[in-house]
Amino acid sequence: MIFRSLLAALALMFVMSTATADQRWQRVEAVTQALDNRVPELEGLSLELPLVAEDGSSVSLSVSFTGSLEDGEHIEKIRLFAPGNPRPEVADITLGPLASPANIATRIRLSETQQVVALAITNQDRAFLTTRDVRVTVSGCLVGGGDASAMAMANPRLALAGSARPGQPVTVRSLINHPMETGLRPDGQADDSIEQQLVESLTATLNDEPVLTARFFTGTSANPYLQFQLTPEEEGELKLAWQDQKGEQMEASQAIKF
Amino acid sequence: MGNLFSDHLSAVLWAGALLGVVYGMIAQWSRFCLLRGLFNRWQQNDSRRLRAFALAMAVALVSSQWLAWQAGINLTRTPYHPGNLPVVALIVGGLLFGYGMALANACGARSLVLLGTGNLRSLLVLLVLGIAAYMTMSGVLAEFRLWMEDLYRPTLPATDLTLVTAPLGLDTETGRLVLAGLLSLALTAWALSSRAFRTSPRDWLGGLLIGLLVAAGWWITGVLGADDFDPVRLASLTFVAPVGDSLQYLMLSTGTSLRFGVTVVAGIVAGSFLVALLTREFVWQSFTSPGHNGRAIVGGFLMGVGGIMSIGCTLGQGLSGFSTLAISSFLALAGIVAGSRLALRFSVGSSASH
């Protein structure tokens, strides 16, 4: 009898542990705050990351929406979190209707083995959430001393992969050189002698119509990279503008021709 | 070239494997080895092999600087140019590496070559070296390394030798040109001043070709691997971290991607194996005593720890780092030479003359 109840208790513990294993995101304050009482659907959003990250300071990540949406509904916000980092925020991306289908790729920093969380919210206030476990072999926090001379943005790059066609999605890739100094040191603490210096935002416009806005946090890798899909309806000029924490700006532009 | 491969990453990997094969073949044929060079010089007053290393340094320097200037590769964007120079870690790391290299009787690159010839001792050295390297890079010794690096790290106006020429009023470009010219002239002159060396093609040809391979490494990662959005990390021949990476790749290949250094490592073993087969030099070898075995383990460990602290090994700092004129290379190389000298004095003695 005792044996049986023990077994039942063990089985229950097992079931509970597996049930909660995938709900770890519920205990991450930044995620619950971003959800703001919405109940996310766990199907539809897909997150691609390597199973093993050999270099935690730059881990390729892509997130795309593969589920179904209502007519006129589009993904409006994509937020990325790395809850095991000293600061969980990685990037917030706001997408306009031109930046569809929702398919974003970037490079992130991971300080240790953890579960990365992606959250998408539609313009009709539906939320989708997905997670992915990544094993980190070299912590992204093991960086050497920052190079103070390289603290400015440099060499912005923007290119289309393939040619643009009306109503057809084309992949846009962008990169800017910047060390993305977190101001944190390997123990995860802020060091007063090192000033945080990040590229704060990237804004994309097509003929001055907003396409996409990205906010980068400490979890975004040095030389922030962003790839997204653009579905242009007409020709024009795609313009990207980066802004760092000091308020400095840099721009790059690319003609969209059919 | 671009049509030959599906993308720049696989082009880099294939070229890396080829580079490794060529290095393995030349190194096995010429017995290229800094440790042997130093010991032959100190013990038998035979400096041919040391002169081969000096010639390789000269050729690597000139060809790499020429390539960097021609192809617009910024060689200061390599790990050999830390923003603040971790002086203590570089010298201590060099000392540990040099001491370990003497104990294990071969550096990392030489161990790979020996492995291809059936030397099972170097398999153990490499396993321990790879694990110790990762322990120091990201494992239990990482904190120790960071502490060591932070002991004294001055911010210098330059990370390469233009530090010396800048006060003379030369700009960086001209400074590099002058330095590369002078240093390589001096090294070549010393190497060629020996008749024994000039009449030993194994040494002079080996040194010459290996020097060129360093520039080939920069070309592969810097030109073949160039991409606006996804550039390959600049690297050339180096053998501490890549040995660790190779072990990791063997264990975690389903979740990780192949890297340049790993394909070079695999290529070297294959290249020296080929030559050893052709010249009938392939022979299984193992330890002769527990003491021999222990020296290999301690040597591999010291090389792994020291090699990460000094940002490279005899080839990584001695040739690749040196070819970028990095200040860190001079400190690390001095440490490596001093470390081997200490080992010769205190623990290896005459037993290492085979």
Side-chain angles (χ1 to χ4, degrees):
Chain A
M1 201 57 197
I2 293 171
F3 179 71
R4 233 188 224 183
S5 50
L6 206 66
L7 211 64
L10 273 175
L12 189 68
M13 274 166 66
F14 178 73
V15 168
M16 278 172 62
S17 69
T18 50
T20 49
D22 286 321
Q23 315 284 316
R24 273 173 283 169
W25 54 268
Q26 290 184 344
R27 291 199 296 274
V28 181
E29 207 189 321
V31 177
T32 48
Q33 261 180 18
L35 272 170
D36 194 21
N37 293 326
R38 299 179 190 93
V39 179
E41 297 174 35
L42 300 176
E43 301 278 323
L45 197 62
S46 120
L47 184 59
E48 288 288 327
L49 279 156
L51 292 171
V52 181
E54 291 160 276
D55 174 7
S57 69
S58 176
V59 185
S60 298
L61 169 151
S62 73
V63 55
S64 56
F65 186 75
T66 50
S68 52
L69 293 171
E70 314 273 321
D71 275 346
E73 189 178 21
H74 70 266
I75 301 285
E76 199 173 56
K77 241 180 193 322
I78 290 181
R79 306 187 66 173
L80 302 170
F81 301 95
N85 282 3
R87 310 258 162 89
E89 294 87 2
V90 175
D92 283 3
I93 295 141
T94 309
L95 306 154
L98 288 172
S100 67
N103 187 340
I104 300 287
T106 182
R107 294 175 192 146
I108 70 169
R109 285 176 170 141
L110 296 174
S111 68
E112 59 185 36
T113 296
Q114 59 183 284
Q115 187 177 57
V116 175
V117 182
L119 170 66
I121 295 167
T122 70
N123 58 343
Q124 298 183 8
D125 220 27
R126 280 206 292 164
F128 298 87
L129 184 140
T130 188
T131 61
R132 182 75 184 262
D133 286 288
V134 187
R135 180 169 160 186
V136 176
T137 59
V138 179
S139 169
C141 293
L142 282 175
V143 285
D147 185 358
S149 63
M151 281 299 174
M153 295 186 289
N155 199 3
R157 275 156 277 175
L158 161 63
L160 302 184
S163 47
R165 292 208 171 72
Q168 293 292 317
V170 61
T171 301
V172 181
R173 307 207 288 172
S174 74
L175 183 83
I176 191 162
N177 284 12
H178 191 275
M180 293 290 278
E181 174 56 61
T182 59
L184 305 174
R185 280 302 154 242
D187 54 6
Q189 299 302 309
D191 185 329
D192 291 339
S193 69
I194 304 154
E195 195 187 352
Q196 186 181 76
Q197 186 53 252
L198 302 173
V199 174
E200 210 167 42
S201 68
L202 167 62
T203 312
T205 51
L206 178 61
N207 299 332
D208 300 321
E209 292 281 317
V211 173
L212 165 150
T213 311
R215 264 211 78 186
F216 301 121
F217 300 93
T218 51
T220 302
S221 295
N223 307 330
Y225 172 76
L226 189 75
Q227 179 186 317
F228 59 93
Q229 302 283 319
L230 173 73
T231 306
E233 295 298 341
E234 53 194 57
E235 298 189 339
E237 192 182 32
L238 178 66
K239 211 182 274 179
L240 264 61
W242 289 264
Q243 181 169 329
D244 73 7
Q245 275 177 318
K246 285 181 290 192
E248 301 280 330
Q249 288 215 350
M250 277 203 114
E251 283 191 358
S253 63
Q254 164 82 40
I256 303 286
K257 282 199 178 121
F258 299 141
Chain B
M1 207 70 183
N3 300 329
L4 204 58
F5 304 106
S6 52
D7 61 292
H8 71 288
L9 293 176
S10 53
V12 166
L13 295 179
W14 281 107
L18 187 66
L19 178 75
V21 169
V22 175
Y23 178 87
M25 293 175 83
I26 298 172
Q28 167 55 17
W29 169 72
S30 69
R31 307 286 192 274
F32 187 78
C33 176
L34 175 64
L35 176 71
R36 205 49 52 227
L38 292 171
F39 276 19
N40 283 354
R41 164 108 181 156
W42 292 333
Q43 293 182 315
Q44 301 157 12
N45 208 18
D46 168 9
S47 60
R48 277 178 300 172
R49 210 146 283 165
L50 193 60
R51 286 170 201 267
F53 195 87
L55 184 66
M57 286 171 83
V59 175
L61 178 58
V62 170
S63 52
S64 302
Q65 290 295 331
W66 180 79
L67 175 80
W69 173 67
Q70 275 288 309
I73 302 173
N74 184 355
L75 288 179
T76 58
R77 285 240 179 104
T78 49
Y80 310 113
H81 297 261
N84 310 311
L85 197 68
V87 174
V88 183
L90 282 166
I91 296 175
V92 173
L95 284 170
L96 293 178
F97 187 92
Y99 205 99
M101 161 171 93
L103 282 183
N105 212 7
C107 71
R110 182 74 188 141
S111 296
L112 287 167
V113 173
L114 289 175
L115 179 61
T117 68
N119 186 324
L120 295 173
R121 295 187 295 262
S122 43
L123 179 63
L124 181 66
V125 171
L126 288 165
L127 290 173
V128 177
L129 184 154
I131 293 167
Y134 258 82
M135 282 168 73
T136 315
M137 201 153 54
S138 53
V140 290
L141 294 176
E143 293 285 326
F144 167 71
R145 171 178 63 85
L146 291 173
W147 171 79
M148 198 78 149
E149 285 175 355
D150 286 339
L151 274 183
Y152 177 59
R153 49 185 325 160
T155 309
L156 299 173
T159 58
D160 62 10
L161 275 198
T162 52
L163 188 72
V164 189
T165 52
L168 304 174
L170 295 175
D171 63 83
T172 349
E173 297 270 304
T174 328
R176 276 197 200 117
L177 201 72
V178 169
L179 285 165
L182 287 179
L183 279 171
S184 57
L185 261 179
L187 284 165
T188 315
W190 178 69
L192 294 179
S193 67
S194 149
R195 196 183 142 69
F197 176 75
R198 291 199 305 269
T199 51
S200 167
R202 244 180 221 246
D203 288 311
W204 67 258
L205 191 57
L208 180 79
L209 292 174
I210 283 170
L212 289 174
L213 289 184
V214 171
W218 297 128
W219 182 79
I220 292 169
T221 53
V223 177
L224 265 191
D227 184 270
D228 268 356
F229 297 99
D230 194 13
V232 172
R233 212 167 276 190
L234 259 185
S236 186
L237 297 174
T238 180
F239 296 102
V240 179
V243 170
D245 290 341
S246 304
L247 295 182
Q248 187 188 282
Y249 184 74
L250 290 176
M251 294 184 289
L252 305 173
S253 65
T254 56
T256 60
S257 49
L258 205 48
R259 287 202 221 168
F260 170 74
V262 177
T263 60
V264 176
V265 163
I268 289 182
V269 179
S272 87
F273 176 67
L274 275 177
V275 168
L277 275 191
L278 286 173
T279 55
R280 297 173 193 272
E281 287 170 312
F282 188 91
V283 56
W284 294 112
Q285 291 186 59
S286 183
F287 297 106
T288 52
S289 69
H292 197 190
N293 192 331
R295 280 205 299 278
I297 294 174
V298 176
F301 184 79
L302 291 180
M303 280 196 283
V305 175
I308 294 298
M309 280 169 40
S310 63
I311 334 181
C313 53
T314 45
L315 274 96
Q317 281 285 31
L319 295 182
S320 301
F322 176 78
S323 76
T324 70
L325 289 170
I327 298 170
S328 73
S329 305
F330 290 84
L331 296 177
L333 197 57
I336 291 174
V337 174
S340 339
R341 181 79 210 194
L342 287 174
L344 176 70
R345 174 85 179 71
F346 293 111
S347 38
V348 185
S350 55
S351 72
S353 56
H354 50 84

